[in-house]
Amino acid sequence: MPPPPPDTGPAPDSALPPEAERILSISGDVYFRGLPDGILTDVSASVLGVVGYPREALIGQPIAALYVNPDLRGAFLDTLRRNNGVIRDHPIQIRHANGRTIWISTSCHLLYDADGTETGIEGVVREITTRRETELQTRRQANLISALLDASRDAIMLIDRTGLLLAANRIFAARFGSTPEAIRGRNLFSMFPADVAAQRRQVVDQVIRSGQALHTRDIRPPLVLDNNIYPVSGPDGTVEMVAVFSSDVTEQVRAEDQNQSYIKEIERSNDDLAQFAYVASHDLREPLRTLISYSTLLEQRHAAALDEEGQEFLGYIRTAARRMNALIEDLLAFSRAGQDDCPDQPLDTGTLVQAVIDDLALLTAETGGRIHLETPLPGIMAAPAPIERLFLNLFSNALKYHRPGSAPDVRAGFSPETGHFYVRDDGIGIAPEHHARIFQLFQRLENADGSTGTGIGLAVCKKIVERLHGTLQVISTPGQGATFLFTLPLAPSPSAAPSPPDTSPPW
């Protein structure tokens, strides 16, 4: 509170007539007059209702004593003089008699004598605390909205029905080499060439008329922009504004185009591979068949003419020819793995696997082993031929790589708990350091009789499973057999009830 005035008797009467005092008390305004040094010489009685002090306590006191920050008094006078001695609706923060901070607004002017010398100040003030707090709250909300808009990677703008820009973020403004503050208040359509502006206006008009959001793809080389345009309705449901969210998807589109180029290149490579498979199955096998045929005729017709060493050499020829034929067959299977012309379809996996087991009856009898299913197998979605090849290769390996002197025992099934199919044997097992290598091309392990396979069978299995977006792995310890675990896409159950709709909030 200002110090009390010196004891010089009662304060002088107000220079205002009683009628003016009554008007001021009704309006809540306060009249004041002061000297150049800031001492109050007169103030209306209505000041009590604004600052809580009677006029007698204020007359003769420096005006700056009411300021929350008295140093701002000098800045206020500088502003007043720069404005030719007149200022309107200038906000000032002062201290009320009860200690709380309030805001007042002053409109005043400087007083001069006949020589132009500054003799004082005169004006009116009114309390604007509520208005000021509302303005500050509005400003804080505007700053928050601006910060949220600028945090987005999209260009965002808000326009009215005529195209007047009401708000925009920095990314949108940067497209025009400007700032949000500089473009706010401009007409959006005036910022484009006439033909482009007409297209934009047509889209905006469509959103306003329909009240429905619209999505557009805007190609402006070198940019590609993905735009989502939303209507913003007023209290009566009429579309008053339009919000636009524009994403720069140039790099995404470029990446998609590049991916398409890669896909086409892979397709061309696959065509070349298919052509190679055709050559391998026909041109390469033709001389091989000739070699096998004539070596067989040589044995049948001229075996007596060959000594023991000649018979041995002839056996090498037949063995190498058959091995070469198996290698070509496996290479052909690898090149075609997962590329079956037959589309994916629901398969009765149990029936299909049993047919594979039946086809291996001769090899099973030769090894003295057996293959049986431990569990029912669920249906899957796949083409039949690759799945037949998958189980054929796994069963064949299990039968071939058995422990010497022991008949192989091969088991297959499905684990609902893990979602894995499995093929398990009690054979020679695989050392851990070979677990990854066996799925690579031409990686061979010896079987019970010392012979090796082509090194392609498990690579084919892995390729088939991965083409179906599954996984294939082995769990094995030398001398304790091996278990191959793999996943395949399960067919939907025909009896499965549809899931109830999700009614939970999206956030």
Side-chain angles (χ1 to χ4, degrees), residues 311-333:
Q311 293 281 357
E312 182 180 359
F313 291 163
L314 184 59
Y316 291 154
I317 293 174
R318 288 200 310 272
T319 300
R322 292 193 182 98
R323 180 174 176 78
M324 183 64 179
N325 186 62
L327 183 61
I328 291 175
E329 289 287 350
D330 285 350
L331 276 174
L332 185 59

Side-chain angles (χ1 to χ4, degrees), residues 45-67:
S46 57
V47 72
L48 178 63
V50 175
V51 300
Y53 295 110
R55 64 186 296 269
E56 293 82 2
L58 296 175
I59 292 176
Q61 300 299 311
I63 297 175
L66 291 171
Y67 277 56

Side-chain angles (χ1 to χ4, degrees), residues 29-71:
D29 291 342
V30 177
Y31 166 80
F32 73 94
R33 180 190 286 263
L35 296 175
D37 60 2
I39 298 298
L40 275 170
T41 59
D42 193 12
V43 64
S44 63
S46 57
V47 72
L48 178 63
V50 175
V51 300
Y53 295 110
R55 64 186 296 269
E56 293 82 2
L58 296 175
I59 292 176
Q61 300 299 311
I63 297 175
L66 291 171
Y67 277 56
V68 171
N69 184 355
D71 293 339

Side-chain angles (χ1 to χ4, degrees), residues 12 29 56 71 159 162 198 245 252 262 320 389 409 424 431:
D29 291 342
E56 293 82 2
D71 293 339
I159 60 174
T162 68
F245 297 79
Q252 177 184 334
Y262 290 152
R389 170 65 66 172
D409 182 35
R424 180 183 300 119

Side-chain angles (χ1 to χ4, degrees), residues 118-138:
E118 188 178 306
T119 60
I121 185 171
E122 180 184 51
V124 294
V125 299
R126 64 172 49 183
E127 185 182 0
I128 60 167
T129 303
T130 301
R131 189 189 86 183
R132 185 67 176 175
E133 289 176 350
T134 301
E135 290 173 349
L136 293 175
Q137 180 64 22
T138 301

Side-chain angles (χ1 to χ4, degrees), residues 159-313:
I159 60 174
D160 69 7
R161 296 171 65 96
T162 68
L164 186 70
L165 271 166
L166 305 176
N169 68 348
R170 297 191 182 281
I171 293 180
F172 177 81
R175 290 184 181 176
F176 297 90
S178 187
T179 64
E181 297 77 14
I183 66 173
R184 192 176 299 126
R186 293 182 60 184
N187 189 283
L188 173 68
F189 305 123
S190 69
M191 301 166 67
F192 296 101
D195 57 335
V196 177
Q199 297 172 3
R200 303 289 187 277
R201 189 183 296 274
Q202 184 178 9
V203 172
V204 170
D205 288 345
Q206 181 179 343
V207 171
I208 292 174
R209 285 195 309 270
S210 67
Q212 301 294 321
L214 192 64
H215 171 262
T216 65
R217 177 63 65 91
D218 188 5
I219 300 177
R220 282 187 282 164
L223 297 179
V224 181
L225 306 176
D226 194 78
N227 305 318
N228 289 287
I229 307 163
Y230 300 93
V232 180
S233 299
D236 61 353
T238 303
V239 177
E240 295 182 350
M241 296 172 285
V242 173
V244 180
F245 297 79
S246 178
S247 302
D248 185 346
V249 294
T250 306
E251 291 302 321
Q252 177 184 334
V253 170
R254 184 178 293 119
E256 290 173 353
D257 291 343
Q258 188 66 57
N259 287 340
Q260 289 298 318
S261 176
Y262 290 152
I263 290 173
K264 290 180 180 179
E265 186 63 31
I266 291 172
E267 289 174 347
R268 283 193 293 270
S269 177
N270 287 341
D271 290 341
D272 292 342
L273 186 60
Q275 183 64 28
F276 166 77
Y278 175 82
V279 171
S281 62
H282 292 82
D283 297 356
L284 291 180
R285 286 195 295 182
E286 183 60 34
L288 188 60
R289 282 194 292 267
T290 301
L291 180 60
I292 293 174
S293 297
Y294 277 96
S295 63
T296 301
L297 288 173
L298 182 61
E299 180 183 26
Q300 292 174 350
R301 298 181 182 181
H302 304 286
L306 298 175
D307 58 13
E308 183 177 349
E309 185 178 42
Q311 293 281 357
E312 182 180 359
F313 291 163

